[in-house]
């Protein structure tokens, strides 16, 4: 029996004692333990790597939103996206399979390699603009956000002119403390934008993801809107925050930065380690057993919400020796940052490619890059569902 004897009583803590480590309270929990969600519902929290991986791969656990609860104290509506079809991350087979089959060809390793040269051009363009502007700069606004948003726009087939519109709204939807009215307004605006984009693609299809979605007979227009919304927000926010937070982590660990500067062949290993070490989806993912399931001596009853806290799982010492140390030579793909099982991130190869190119460009073009000011004063995104830094002032 590995159930914790110290259950959480008000959902997940989101504030961190140290900006790059998961909340300390979660380290007191066992691999599987009781958690009372902020709405009073009593479910489960999983912080162990092996237990989390097993649940994510188990077909007896559902991703449907019907039994989900907000994991953190917030006025944010728990059913904000409930009426939007096409959000395939909240689907089980066969509906989930229908979307993955339709989109898989757009995110293959081969397709990503074809995009590599263009991503290098985009990255160089924004690095050059930051150089011309001169120090100090905000790595978030001047580099990470424009690079990631332009890449996802071009992949999906979204005009760059619409970039600002979706960037602001997607940022709002990730706020833990957002006003319910503002959340509904941002969601409505994004749904309207994606509907407009898909209508254009229906009239004039091109070689992009939106055209693939809207020209298929097995996915409705409304479902295409939801799927586009998911790809647009997730594809931009996660990579933008990994670029900026990963840079903050490297600048805060000068020994690891020096290793990477001395040997650029470590970049693949460094990307995987930063993905593990930072785990920016810091509120985890939820699953619900469709029947009683025993995991590591604990019986999870049918219908009970289970929250898998990915940042804690990726710091499990049973899987990762010395897990709290950033080690760019560690490498490996065994982390759970992209989830596991049938819901493993569709765009993970794109994310890896953007990060490899994005970090490499910074290392080459800014040999003297450093934080401008006190690193302890950097505003962290503890108030967002995707972790990172709100701003990262740098100089060189």
């Amino acid at each position: 029996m590995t159930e914790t004897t110290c259950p959480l009583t008000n959902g997940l803590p989101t504030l961190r004692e140290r900006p790059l480590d998961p909340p300390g309270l979660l380290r007191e929990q066992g691999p599987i333990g009781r958690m009372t969600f902020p709405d009073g519902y009593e479910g489960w929290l999983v912080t162990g790597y092996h237990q989390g991986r097993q649940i994510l791969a188990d077909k007896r656990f559902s991703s449907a939103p019907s039994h989900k609860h907000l994991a953190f104290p917030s006025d944010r509506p728990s059913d904000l996206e409930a009426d939007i079809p096409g959000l395939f991350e909240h689907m089980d087979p066969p509906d989930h399979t229908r979307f993955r089959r339709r989109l898989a060809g757009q995110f293959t390793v081969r397709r990503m390699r074809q995009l590599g040269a263009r991503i290098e051009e985009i990255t160089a363009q924004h690095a050059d603009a930051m150089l011309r502007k001169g120090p100090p700069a905000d790595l978030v606004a001047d580099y990470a956000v424009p690079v990631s948003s332009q890449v996802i726009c071009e992949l999906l087939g979204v005009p760059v002119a619409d970039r600002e519109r979706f960037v602001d709204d997607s940022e709002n939807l990730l706020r833990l403390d957002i006003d319910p009215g503002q959340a509904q307004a941002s969601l409505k605006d994004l749904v309207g934008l994606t509907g407009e984009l898909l209508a254009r693609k229906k009239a004039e299809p091109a070689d992009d993801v939106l055209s693939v979605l809207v020209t298929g007979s097995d996915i409705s227009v409304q479902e295409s809107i939801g799927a586009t919304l998911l790809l647009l927000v997730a594809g931009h926010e996660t990579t933008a925050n990994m670029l900026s937070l990963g840079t903050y982590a490297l600048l805060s660990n000068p020994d690891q930065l020096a290793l990477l500067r001395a040997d650029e062949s470590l970049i693949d290993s460094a990307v995987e380690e930063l993905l593990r070490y930072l785990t920016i989806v810091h509120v985890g993912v939820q699953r619900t057993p469709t029947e009683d399931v025993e995991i590591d001596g604990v019986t999870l009853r049918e219908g009970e919400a289970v929250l898998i806290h990915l940042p804690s799982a990726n710091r499990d010492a049973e899987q990762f020796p010395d897990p709290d140390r950033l080690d760019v030579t560690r490498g490996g793909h065994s982390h759970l940052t992209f989830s596991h099982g049938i819901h493993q991130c569709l765009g993970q190869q794109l994310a890896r490619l953007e990060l490899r190119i994005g970090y490499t460009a910074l290392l080459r073009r800014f040999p003297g890059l450093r934080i401008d000011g006190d690193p302890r004063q950097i505003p962290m995104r503890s108030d967002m569902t995707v972790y990172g830094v709100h701003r990262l002032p740098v100089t060189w």
Side-chain angles (χ1 to χ4, degrees), residues 14-25 27 245 248 277-278 282 315 324 375-376 378 380 382 387:
T14 56
L15 293 176
R16 304 183 177 203
E17 298 85 357
R18 294 180 298 276
L20 298 178
D21 295 335
L25 181 61
R27 293 170 178 261
L245 186 63
Y248 173 71
Y277 184 73
L278 301 173
H282 76 138
R315 295 291 187 94
D324 294 330
R376 295 171 297 180
I378 300 300
M380 309 305 296
S382 301
Y387 195 60

Side-chain angles (χ1 to χ4, degrees), residues 67-83:
H67 295 286
K68 290 187 176 180
H69 301 262
L70 275 182
F72 42 82
S74 174
D75 292 331
R76 176 190 177 93
S78 59
D79 59 349
L80 182 61
E81 302 162 345
D83 296 329

